Amino acid sequence: MDVEHLHTRAKKAAESAITHLYDRQREDGSWVDRLSSSTIATALGALSLYRADRHAYADRIAAAVRWLRTHQREDGGWSMADAEAPSSPGMTAFGLAALHEIDREESRGAIARAHTFIDENDGMNVIPGLRGEAPKTWPAALPTIWGLVGLRDFQQQPDQPVEIMLLPANLRNKVSIALPAILGLGIMQARTMNRSLPRKLLGRIAEPMALNWLRDVAGTNGGIEECPMIAGFVYLGLKKAGVGVDVQLSSLAYLLETQREDGSWAIDRDLEISVTAYSIMALAEFEDVAAQPLLRGTREWLLRSQWNKPFPSLGMPAGGWSWALPSGWPESEDTAVVLGVLADLGVPRNHPAVRLGIGWLRKQQNTDGSWSEWVRNTHIMNDRPCAGVTSHVVMALQRYGEPDTPGSPVGRALAYLRAHQKDDGSIESIWFRDNTHGTSRLLETFVDTGQGADPVARAARQWLLDNQADDGGWPRHHELPPEGRTAEETGWAIFALLKAGEDPRSPAILRGIDWLLRHQDDEGTWRPSVVGLYFDDLCYTDDLIAHTFTLRAIGRWLKLMAGPGGEPQ
């Protein structure tokens, strides 16, 4: 491979990508991404507007129905993200539910194809709660929605116990971010389903507590978790129950605000805090971001975005950062990422926001040394201990000089990572598919803590090298879709390998950089792939995750290749 030519191509690609990134920056210094539109969020949004006022919102409902019909795939199914392959039985069942209630006659062909897809893919057994054993997946809400629209006996719903509000907070909170949907649908079930007299009484006692909890976690825009999917569940449940009119109206207002021009909704509105931090991480490979005038507003925006008061609804202290404002909840990964970026931006350890953030992370550590996202010591699917989250926290604490002695927070976290690395050297991250993300973060963490020669780091490094595909991208093998290699995983792997000392002229790195350059588009960016996980069968794409981590890898390679005159050595 002609290395000098590759270097020239990489410089040109980086210039184009940096221009693209700065063109996307908002006036206040932050960035906002585009998350993929979602079948489940669009179906729930359309059903909510239809049940709120089908005449007043007729145009919006029609736009949502058009999106569903045009995004139905050739096989009759719907996907998890836009119309990306593959189709999903669960997503198809939600799309079917919306068309069945709203547009049954005009959409009868689409409905018939959806039924055929579900039957051919054993949907009744693989969709949780319908029949048979449910797989490890997101909560079994589909049968509830089918009951609401008449596709299933209304009384045959998975139990969503609003009585959970009567439990001590430390037990109730372990449900974590699933709690708003449980409460919205649980209130409905307590009001409308056949229940024993004791359960009816307990439900009535718990109902006002649940409504007050939902009010407390709602943002000023009416959203909860900046999640239209949650808003749909809450609205549909409370509307059917006929209670909590103020919560209904705030959820409806949020859905109206977040519907896209094409009629769809994303599961989360965006990840503005996350991608703002990722943008700084990428730019820091090319310039002194602390001295960059265009980023002064970014630093102040990130500082203003901190939760400087407790989040009592989940028992969390002040000091964390969320993924988006105003109704995102403080969580470990973005708190860690923002703290690391603030260090890049020149914010010192003694700054009040940094001290508060470090204290928040220390208080949120699990007893096994790991970190989850929201609630300590949880083990539910999306809020259990996570190697990727733990790695981010360790790197942030290390950046501010926290010790890694045995028994310290960093020392305990490193012990957790050692214990959970697989025999092949990889480790999973529950927020991204398979193991490329987690293994890359694991390797970076051990390098940052001065243990790049440790057997854990050597095994992670070898796994990444072994998992490179013949075309130069990552991964070679995968369990979850999409097919083929992705810009995100290739960027993560290259950056981690370079950080760990891999020769920038090694065949693996050169082939990886070439893969990234070949896949940059005319706008200077990269196509996002369905690698982000909410759950194993509820995934998303994010354009700025693909862009920033790819740009960061190219930037690190250019930096390592540069000689005294800035040309390749």
Side-chain angles (χ1 to χ4, degrees):
M1 186 176 293
D2 186 336
V3 177
E4 186 171 347
H5 180 58
L6 186 69
H7 186 267
T8 300
R9 290 168 57 205
K11 287 179 66 176
K12 182 178 179 181
E15 291 171 1
S16 177
I18 290 169
T19 298
H20 177 91
L21 192 57
Y22 273 123
D23 285 347
R24 294 277 298 272
Q25 188 180 28
R26 297 189 288 195
E27 290 186 5
D28 60 9
S30 66
W31 277 265
V32 66
D33 50 331
R34 182 197 180 272
L35 284 165
S36 48
S37 291
S38 162
T39 301
I40 181 174
T42 302
L44 293 173
L47 285 169
S48 296
L49 298 189
Y50 187 78
R51 292 201 165 203
D53 192 329
R54 68 188 68 178
H55 302 296
Y57 303 125
D59 290 344
R60 286 176 173 268
I61 296 165
V65 167
R66 278 196 304 273
W67 187 92
L68 288 170
R69 290 175 61 175
T70 58
H71 283 74
Q72 187 177 27
R73 293 170 49 78
E74 290 185 6
D75 59 10
W78 278 273
S79 71
M80 295 172 277
D82 294 318
E84 297 281 344
S87 299
S88 157
M91 296 303 99
T92 302
F94 276 101
L96 168 60
L99 295 184
H100 175 82
E101 170 148 321
I102 298 170
D103 195 50
R104 197 175 310 177
E105 289 303 315
E106 294 296 323
S107 296
R108 57 183 177 272
I111 291 170
R113 292 195 302 275
H115 276 296
T116 299
F117 174 84
I118 291 172
D119 291 342
E120 291 178 347
N121 288 272
D122 197 25
M124 296 303 290
N125 287 317
V126 303
I127 298 172
L130 286 183
R131 188 172 64 214
E133 183 177 352
K136 182 183 73 172
T137 183
W138 41 276
L142 185 276
T144 299
I145 300 303
W146 271 27
L148 278 173
V149 303
L151 285 167
R152 181 181 174 88
D153 184 345
F154 184 78
Q155 297 297 324
Q156 294 182 352
Q157 296 182 35
D159 197 3
Q160 307 291 341
V162 69
E163 301 95 314
I164 196 173
M165 289 302 301
L166 303 178
L167 295 175
N170 64 325
L171 295 178
R172 177 182 72 231
N173 290 345
K174 290 185 182 296
V175 181
S176 187
I177 59 167
L179 190 52
I182 290 174
L183 295 181
L185 298 177
I187 290 171
M188 175 195 73
Q189 290 182 350
R191 284 269 180 172
T192 60
M193 293 180 63
N194 299 329
R195 292 282 169 82
S196 66
L197 181 58
R199 282 207 68 183
K200 288 181 179 180
L201 293 174
L202 290 174
R204 288 303 178 94
I205 295 170
E207 181 183 294
M209 299 169 63
L211 289 171
N212 284 334
W213 192 92
L214 290 170
R215 294 180 182 111
D216 288 342
V217 298
T220 54
N221 60 353
I224 297 175
E225 304 173 26
E226 287 305 328
C227 181
M229 180 182 73
I230 292 291
F233 281 132
V234 170
Y235 179 81
L236 289 169
L238 298 185
K239 177 70 172 179
K240 178 70 173 179
V243 299
V245 173
D246 59 322
V247 182
Q248 290 183 47
L249 292 176
S250 64
S251 298
L252 186 63
Y254 182 75
L255 288 169
L256 292 169
E257 177 188 323
T258 54
Q259 188 178 23
R260 293 175 167 175
E261 289 185 6
D262 64 4
S264 69
W265 282 265
I267 289 183
D268 282 343
R269 188 201 67 203
D270 57 57
L271 307 177
E272 59 184 341
I273 295 176
S274 308
V275 298
T276 296
Y278 300 156
S279 297
I280 301 301
M281 290 165 62
L283 293 170
E285 295 298 317
F286 297 91
E287 59 183 316
D288 178 1
V289 293
Q292 169 58 260
L294 292 173
L295 301 178
R296 291 172 186 163
T298 311
R299 180 177 58 241
E300 299 309 311
W301 185 86
L302 287 170
L303 290 169
R304 291 196 305 272
S305 299
Q306 186 178 30
W307 274 82
N308 55 15
K309 60 182 180 179
F311 189 71
S313 301
L314 289 183
M316 290 190 282
W321 275 266
S322 66
W323 59 97
L325 298 169
S327 70
W329 296 358
E331 37 89 13
S332 298
E333 183 163 19
D334 282 310
T335 299
V337 171
V338 170
L339 283 172
V341 162
L342 289 176
D344 289 334
L345 292 169
V347 179
R349 165 69 189 250
N350 61 2
H351 190 285
V354 173
R355 292 202 310 269
L356 195 62
I358 291 173
W360 190 93
L361 288 174
R362 291 173 66 99
K363 292 174 184 175
Q364 289 294 112
Q365 189 171 26
N366 295 323
T367 54
D368 65 2
S370 69
W371 273 268
S372 306
E373 284 288 32
W374 294 278
V375 178
R376 293 183 69 247
N377 301 321
T378 56
H379 293 281
I380 66 170
M381 292 174 292
N382 58 333
D383 200 11
R384 64 186 189 271
C386 176
V389 174
T390 300
S391 294
H392 272 297
V393 175
V394 170
M395 287 189 278
L397 295 178
Q398 184 276 335
R399 186 72 185 274
Y400 283 103
E402 289 287 296
D404 61 359
T405 53
S408 68
V410 172
R412 292 171 55 221
L414 292 174
Y416 169 86
L417 293 173
R418 290 178 188 276
H420 287 78
Q421 185 180 35
K422 297 181 179 180
D423 291 341
D424 64 3
S426 69
I427 198 166
E428 71 170 355
S429 174
I430 66 174
W431 291 99
F432 293 96
R433 75 161 184 177
D434 299 340
N435 292 344
T436 303
H437 177 267
T439 306
S440 299
R441 290 290 179 264
L442 174 71
L443 180 55
E444 288 184 51
T445 299
F446 273 76
V447 171
D448 274 6
T449 55
Q451 301 180 64
D454 188 276
V456 169
R458 291 202 305 268
R461 180 174 174 174
Q462 190 60 51
W463 185 89
L464 288 173
L465 290 170
D466 292 344
N467 202 42
Q468 184 180 26
D470 293 340
D471 65 1
W474 271 265
R476 176 182 292 276
H477 306 292
H478 58 84
E479 295 180 8
L480 296 175
E483 294 293 329
R485 269 55 68 193
T486 72
E488 296 90 338
E489 289 159 303
T490 303
W492 293 328
I494 290 174
F495 185 86
L497 287 169
L498 290 172
K499 193 173 186 178
E502 185 72 17
D503 185 346
R505 291 175 174 267
S506 73
I509 295 298
L510 295 179
R511 290 190 299 114
I513 293 294
D514 179 65
W515 190 96
L516 292 178
L517 301 183
R518 286 188 284 109
H519 287 81
Q520 187 180 34
D521 65 23
D522 292 340
E523 295 182 358
T525 189
W526 287 265
R527 186 179 188 275
S529 298
V530 191
V531 296
L533 302 185
Y534 295 110
F535 305 95
D536 283 357
D537 60 347
L538 187 54
C539 307
Y540 65 91
T541 69
D542 187 291
D543 62 343
L544 281 186
I545 288 180
H547 186 88
T548 55
F549 284 105
T550 302
L551 177 59
R552 189 186 189 210
I554 294 172
R556 178 57 59 102
W557 184 75
L558 288 170
K559 185 186 297 184
L560 291 172
M561 288 290 290
E567 297 304 314
Q569 300 186 76

